[in-house]
Amino acid sequence: MKYDIILCGVGGQGVLSVAAIIARAAMMSGLEVRQSEVHGMAQRGGAVEADLRISDGPIPGDLIAKGRADMILSMEPLESLRYVDFLSEKGSVVTSDHCEINIPDYPEKQAIFSSISSFGRALTIPADALALTAGSARSANMVLVGAASFHLPIEFSTMEEAVRERFASKGELIIETNLKALSLGRNFAEAGSRRRSG
Amino acid sequence: MDGYVLLGNEAVALGALHAGVSLAYGYPGTPSTEIIEYMQQVIEPKSGVRAQWCSNEKTAYEAAVGASAMNRRVLVTMKHVGLNVAADPFMNSAIMNIKGGVVLAVADDPGMHSSQNEQDSRFYADFAKLPCFEPHNQQEAYEMTRAAFDLSERFHVPVLLRLVTRLSHSRAIVRPNPSRDANPMVKFTGKDDFITLPATSRKRYAEHLELYKRLRAYAESETVNPLKPGDTDAPFSVITSGLGHNYFEENAEDLGFSPSVLHVNFYPLPEEKIRTLAAGSKRILCIEEGYPFIERLLRGILPVSVTVSGKLDGSLPPSGELNPDIVRTALKLPEPSSKVEDGHRNLAPLPGRPPQLCKGCPHRDTFKALNTALETYENHLVTGDIGCYTLGYLPPFEAIETGLCMGASITMARGAAQAGMYPVVAVIGDSTFMHSGLTGLADAVSSSVPITILILDNSTTAMTGGQDTIFESKGIRKVVLGLGVEPEHCVEMVPLPTKHEENSDLLRREIEYKGVSVVFAFRECIQTAKRKHTKEAKA
Ligand code: SF4
C-alpha cells in the first residue's frame, strides 16, 4: 500500500501543520512516512506545496511523480488546480472553497470551481463556514484534514488522537473545537460521497 | 522502535550532538537554518554545549577552527552561497593540522527555491582537496555527520557535509545510536599546526597531497561507496549520488533489467570502483544533484570507448532540481499512462503566485516613503540587498534595482556614486548590515561619497524565519557612528502609514546631503512580533 498526497495552498495558510498532523497519524498507525516541505522566501504569501508520502514499505524519494498522486489536498481552490498533472487516474481533489485573492490576475471564481468539479473525484468544502460551526474560524484546516481522512489509509480514531496530541498544550477547549472541526469535515466528505454514488 | 521524525537538517544536528560536539556556529540561510535552530532547542542549558549564530559565515568558520585548536568537536553550518563568504578560511584550514573534529555542513539549493544562484559545494571540497560526504536520506544525514567527525580527527582535516534543499527540508524517521562524550579541552601541541606562513604552508601542503592519496584509498572501501553488480547484459550502468539515487530507485523496477549501480556517498571519487563498473559497460548514466561534478571527472578516468551520459550530453537537464520524472526520462522509460481528464484545461493558464512582503510588513511603509522621496528626481539608483526586502524589486513597489550578494548594496552604491550617479540609495537589513555591510560602510565613509544608506532594522533575520541578530536593535547605531558617519546624518524613522509624509521628507533631506548618511527605519518584523505576543500570552 502507498498513498501519495500533494498538499498546497498559499504561504501562511498552514499547509505544513496539516502535513504534520496527517504525517503524525500515519506514523502512529505504524506506516512509513516521508514529507517534503517549503521554507524561506517561498512562504511569504506565495504558492506553497508539500509532498506527503505514506506507505507500508520503504519510500525511496521525497517527491511524488507526475500522474501518481492519490490526493491533492488544498487550502485554496486556485492552488488545487496548479498540481493536477500529478494526480493519478483514481486520485481525489479535496479543497477549501476559500479564495485567497492576493494577486491582481486572480481568475473568475466560477471558472475555477467548474474546473475543479470536472474531476470525477473532487470535493469543494466550505471549510471556513464549518470551522465557525465548530467554534473557531482558525480550525478551517482541521475541517480539511477531516475531509481528507475519509480517503486516507488511517483510522479516524488515530486522526483524532493526532489532533489531540497536536493541541495538547493549548487546553481542552481548543482540542474540542479542533476535534469538532475534524468530524464536520469528515461528515461533509462522507455525505459528498453518498451524494455521488446515490 | 526508538526513532524521531526529523528534517534532514535536524538529523545533522542530532548526529553532531551524538558525536560529542561542543560548539556549533553558523549564519542563517535557507536551506541550512534549521541545523542550528534545532540544536538551540534541544541543548540543555547546563550542558556546556553551545550553538550560536555569528555575524557571517567567515566569522563562524574561523571560530570553529579556534575551537578545534582546543580539541573540541565543532559543527559549522551555512548555505552554499555562504561558503563563498567563508571560502578564505575554508581553503586555508585544509592544510592545518585540525585537532578537534571540524564538520562543515553546507546546504546547496538546486532549483533555487530561495537562493540567488545554484552552486555545487562538492567543487569547494575538491578545490581544497578535502573529503566530502553526501547523504541521500535523513538516516544517513545523521550517521554521516557522526562519521565525518571521526574522519576529521583521524585525518586531521575539516570534512564537508553536502546537503541539498530537498534533503534538508524533508522529514523521515531517524533511528539514533548511543551518543558519545564531548572531547576535553586540550590545547594543540604542534608548533606549526595552526599557522600559515609560506615556509610552513609549503611543508603542510606537500603533506596534504600525500594525505589526499589516503583519502582516495578510503573512498574505495565498500562500506563508503557501495557498488552493486547488475545483469551482465544490461545496456548501461549507473552512477548515482545524493538524491539522484532515490529517484533512480523510484523508477528502477520498471526497467525490466538491473543495471550495475555505484552509489557515491563520499568524495574523492573511488576511481578503482569506477573502472570496475565501466569494465562491463558501454555506457554509464550519471545521476547526480547539482552540477555535473562526477560526470566531468569520469571523462578523465574512463577510456573514450565508454559513453558517459548525464547533464553534459543532455540526458538530464543542466540546471534545476532532479525529480522522479526527470530521472524517468533519462532512463528512457515511458511516461506513466494514468492521466486525469482534461477538465482543468478549460481554464486559461493559471496565474503565478509569487511571494510578497507580509501584510503590515514595516518594509512596505519604508518602500512607499522612499518611492515618494525619489519622485522629484528624474534619474536615481536604489541598490538592494539580501533579505525579505529583496521582494521590493517586484510590483507593487519596484523600489530596488540591484541585488548582488550580502552587503553589496552599500559597496555597489559607493561604486555607482563614484561613477557619477546621483542620487544613490542603498537599502539593507540589520542582520545583513552586520553580516557584511560594515566593511562597505567603512569604504564609503573613507571616500565620503554622496550616498544614503537605509538600514531596515526589524530586529531580526526575517527571511530565514526570524533568528536573533547578534546585536539588539539600535545597538547598530553605535557601530555606524563609530565608523565615522556624522551624528546629524545618522537619523531614525518609524515606518508606519501615518508617518508617510514625515518619513519621505526625512529621506529627501538625507538624499540632498552630499555625504554618507544613514537612515534607520526601526520597526519590528510583524512575524517575530506576533510570535513574541503568542509566547507572552501563553506565559
Ligand atoms: S517576515 Fe517580517 S520582514 Fe519579512 S515580509 Fe514578513 S513582516 Fe516583513
Side-chain angles (χ1 to χ4, degrees):
Chain A
M1 183 282 301
K2 64 116 203 147
Y3 203 90
D4 287 344
I5 310 170
I6 289 188
L7 292 119
C8 50
V10 177
Q13 282 191 315
V15 170
L16 293 186
S17 46
V18 167
I21 288 189
I22 300 177
R24 180 71 196 148
M27 210 138 24
M28 287 156 90
S29 318
L31 299 168
E32 278 296 323
V33 179
R34 292 193 77 92
Q35 181 214 327
S36 167
E37 40 188 74
V38 228
H39 295 222
M41 191 187 235
Q43 285 181 25
R44 310 256 179 279
V48 166
E49 187 256 345
D51 288 12
L52 176 59
R53 314 190 66 189
I54 301 170
S55 172
D56 54 7
I59 310 167
D62 301 297
L63 294 175
I64 299 169
K66 284 210 174 118
R68 299 285 178 93
D70 299 286
M71 179 189 289
I72 291 175
L73 177 55
S74 180
M75 323 284 118
E76 211 278 350
L78 171 63
E79 293 310 314
S80 73
L81 292 174
R82 213 181 283 286
Y83 307 96
V84 286
D85 283 349
F86 287 86
L87 202 58
S88 79
E89 226 158 358
K90 284 182 265 153
S92 334
V93 178
V94 174
T95 179
S96 162
D97 69 350
H98 170 84
C99 298
E100 188 75 32
I101 306 183
N102 66 353
I103 43 171
D105 44 358
Y106 197 94
E108 272 292 300
K109 285 187 188 176
Q110 231 17 70
I112 294 177
F113 289 123
S114 75
S115 195
I116 293 172
S117 61
S118 70
F119 295 108
R121 294 158 158 254
L123 185 68
T124 309
I125 313 164
D128 289 359
L130 290 175
L132 276 179
T133 314
S136 162
R138 296 178 63 179
S139 56
N141 282 343
M142 279 325 108
V143 174
L144 285 168
V145 174
S149 77
F150 178 60
H151 300 276
L152 299 177
I154 299 171
E155 293 287 332
F156 188 64
S157 57
T158 314
M159 291 301 309
E160 289 182 313
E161 221 179 300
V163 171
R164 228 179 257 287
E165 193 187 273
R166 169 90 186 182
F167 296 99
S169 63
K170 308 234 162 140
E172 205 46 44
L173 185 68
I174 293 190
I175 297 175
E176 283 313 314
T177 308
N178 281 292
L179 284 175
K180 187 134 182 255
L182 189 78
S183 325
L184 287 174
R186 173 77 173 209
N187 294 343
F188 190 88
E190 277 174 10
S193 123
R194 273 201 301 278
R195 274 198 300 279
R196 256 202 307 277
S197 48
Chain B
M1 176 204 75
D2 236 6
Y4 310 90
V5 184
L6 299 179
L7 285 177
N9 281 345
E10 296 170 342
V12 170
L14 194 68
L17 289 169
H18 289 179
V21 84
S22 297
L23 294 147
Y25 299 111
Y27 184 79
T30 313
S32 71
T33 314
E34 297 76 15
I35 304 174
I36 297 276
E37 281 191 331
Y38 183 78
M39 290 181 116
Q40 290 178 334
Q41 279 162 31
V42 303
I43 290 171
E44 298 283 332
K46 280 195 224 120
S47 67
V49 180
R50 247 179 260 172
Q52 287 185 333
W53 294 122
C54 302
S55 36
N56 64 41
E57 295 84 356
K58 180 177 187 289
T59 65
Y61 194 88
E62 290 158 352
V65 174
S68 165
M70 298 305 124
N71 196 42
R72 300 293 202 187
R73 286 190 163 193
V74 47
L75 180 73
V76 198
T77 77
M78 58 194 63
K79 68 184 292 183
H80 59 317
V81 287
L83 184 48
N84 300 334
V85 178
D88 196 0
F90 173 72
M91 292 302 297
N92 292 335
S93 70
I95 57 165
M96 289 186 158
N97 198 19
I98 289 303
K99 192 164 165 64
V102 175
V103 173
L104 169 65
V106 186
D108 290 352
D109 190 13
M112 294 179 269
H113 292 274
S114 46
S115 303
Q116 52 273 52
N117 72 18
E118 289 191 3
Q119 65 184 51
D120 190 326
S121 298
R122 293 177 298 172
F123 280 87
Y124 265 116
D126 188 55
F127 193 20
K129 297 194 171 58
L130 285 178
C132 171
F133 280 100
E134 186 178 18
H136 80 280
N137 60 37
Q138 285 70 7
Q139 183 69 32
E140 276 189 3
Y142 171 83
E143 285 167 13
M144 284 186 186
T145 305
R146 301 189 62 154
F149 276 106
D150 294 341
L151 195 81
S152 174
E153 288 179 1
R154 176 169 154 203
F155 290 107
H156 303 286
V157 285
V159 178
L160 198 145
L161 183 72
R162 188 226 187 184
L163 309 166
V164 291
T165 306
R166 194 58 62 185
L167 175 65
S168 288
H169 288 171
S170 294
R171 290 176 196 277
I173 299 170
V174 173
R175 296 175 179 92
N177 302 318
S179 64
R180 169 195 184 279
D181 285 341
N183 291 354
M185 205 278 287
V186 182
K187 193 189 159 188
F188 68 99
T189 46
K191 196 162 178 298
D192 58 1
D193 284 358
F194 284 91
I195 188 115
T196 48
L197 279 171
T200 56
S201 293
R202 272 194 294 269
K203 178 170 152 276
R204 292 215 57 91
Y205 188 54
E207 288 167 7
H208 188 64
L209 295 179
E210 282 305 309
L211 167 75
Y212 202 59
K213 288 185 197 153
R214 286 169 60 207
L215 289 172
R216 283 158 75 159
Y218 177 79
E220 300 290 347
S221 83
E222 188 55 28
T223 46
V224 179
N225 288 319
L227 170 61
K228 212 171 102 217
D231 303 343
T232 42
D233 55 350
F236 57 85
S237 302
V238 179
I239 296 182
T240 61
S241 82
L243 273 52
H245 189 77
N246 304 350
Y247 306 131
F248 167 73
E249 272 202 346
E250 199 85 43
N251 288 296
E253 62 181 39
D254 295 348
L255 276 175
F257 62 90
S258 56
S260 300
V261 182
L262 171 65
H263 177 61
V264 177
N265 285 308
F266 178 83
Y267 308 81
L269 281 182
E271 296 189 9
E272 279 314 310
K273 282 219 157 120
I274 290 170
R275 286 194 195 97
T276 311
L277 178 83
S281 32
K282 286 206 176 49
R283 181 172 165 240
I284 291 184
L285 175 66
C286 200
I287 308 172
E288 57 189 321
E289 188 97 90
Y291 289 178
F293 176 77
I294 299 176
E295 190 183 343
R296 279 174 58 174
L297 292 173
L298 284 186
R299 288 166 200 257
I301 298 171
L302 298 179
V304 278
S305 58
V306 180
T307 310
V308 177
S309 295
K311 298 187 175 216
L312 291 172
D313 78 342
S315 299
L316 289 154
S319 68
E321 194 180 18
L322 292 181
N323 65 38
D325 297 311
I326 287 172
V327 171
R328 193 174 178 84
T329 309
L331 293 168
K332 300 217 161 60
L333 286 168
E335 276 205 30
S337 56
S338 53
K339 276 275 162 192
V340 281
E341 320 91 286
D342 267 354
H344 68 288
R345 308 231 182 268
N346 313 335
L347 203 65
L350 301 181
R353 200 191 295 259
Q356 43 187 285
L357 294 171
C358 302
K359 275 185 201 141
C361 171
H363 302 336
R364 287 178 174 263
D365 297 306
T366 305
F367 284 139
K368 277 185 199 149
L370 178 63
N371 283 347
T372 305
L374 288 169
E375 262 168 16
T376 46
Y377 304 94
E378 208 179 302
N379 202 6
H380 51 72
L381 174 71
V382 180
T383 57
D385 225 297
I386 313 295
C388 283
Y389 49 90
T390 312
L391 296 170
Y393 167 78
L394 303 172
F397 303 108
E398 299 180 87
I400 63 168
E401 298 163 84
T402 71
L404 173 61
C405 62
M406 298 287 281
S409 59
I410 300 179
T411 36
M412 278 184 73
R414 185 243 187 150
Q418 290 193 316
M421 184 67 194
Y422 174 83
V424 183
V425 179
V427 175
I428 187 167
D430 50 343
S431 181
T432 313
F433 180 75
M434 291 313 298
H435 179 283
S436 44
L438 279 170
T439 43
L441 178 60
D443 282 0
V445 172
S446 77
S447 53
S448 57
V449 283
I451 62 171
T452 303
I453 299 164
L454 185 49
I455 300 183
L456 308 182
D457 189 345
N458 57 5
S459 320
T460 190
T461 315
M463 183 174 240
T464 43
Q467 292 72 33
D468 287 340
T469 45
I470 58 163
F471 273 141
E472 92 284 13
S473 192
K474 302 212 178 199
I476 305 174
R477 193 168 196 276
K478 293 181 208 146
V479 184
V480 168
L481 291 172
L483 279 173
V485 174
E486 296 296 333
E488 57 272 29
H489 292 290
C490 181
V491 295
E492 297 170 10
M493 64 183 227
V494 180
L496 281 169
T498 49
K499 298 195 178 228
H500 179 78
E501 291 301 316
E502 192 184 316
N503 290 342
S504 42
D505 288 347
L506 179 144
L507 283 168
R508 203 174 297 116
R509 265 201 313 280
E510 291 311 319
I511 287 166
E512 281 299 314
Y513 169 61
K514 300 286 164 62
V516 177
S517 57
V518 175
V519 180
F520 282 93
F522 284 120
R523 180 149 81 82
E524 193 175 4
C525 158
I526 57 160
Q527 298 297 348
T528 354
K530 245 192 242 165
R531 268 201 300 277
K532 259 188 221 154
H533 188 77
T534 346
K535 240 197 205 155
E536 274 161 23
K538 251 197 227 161

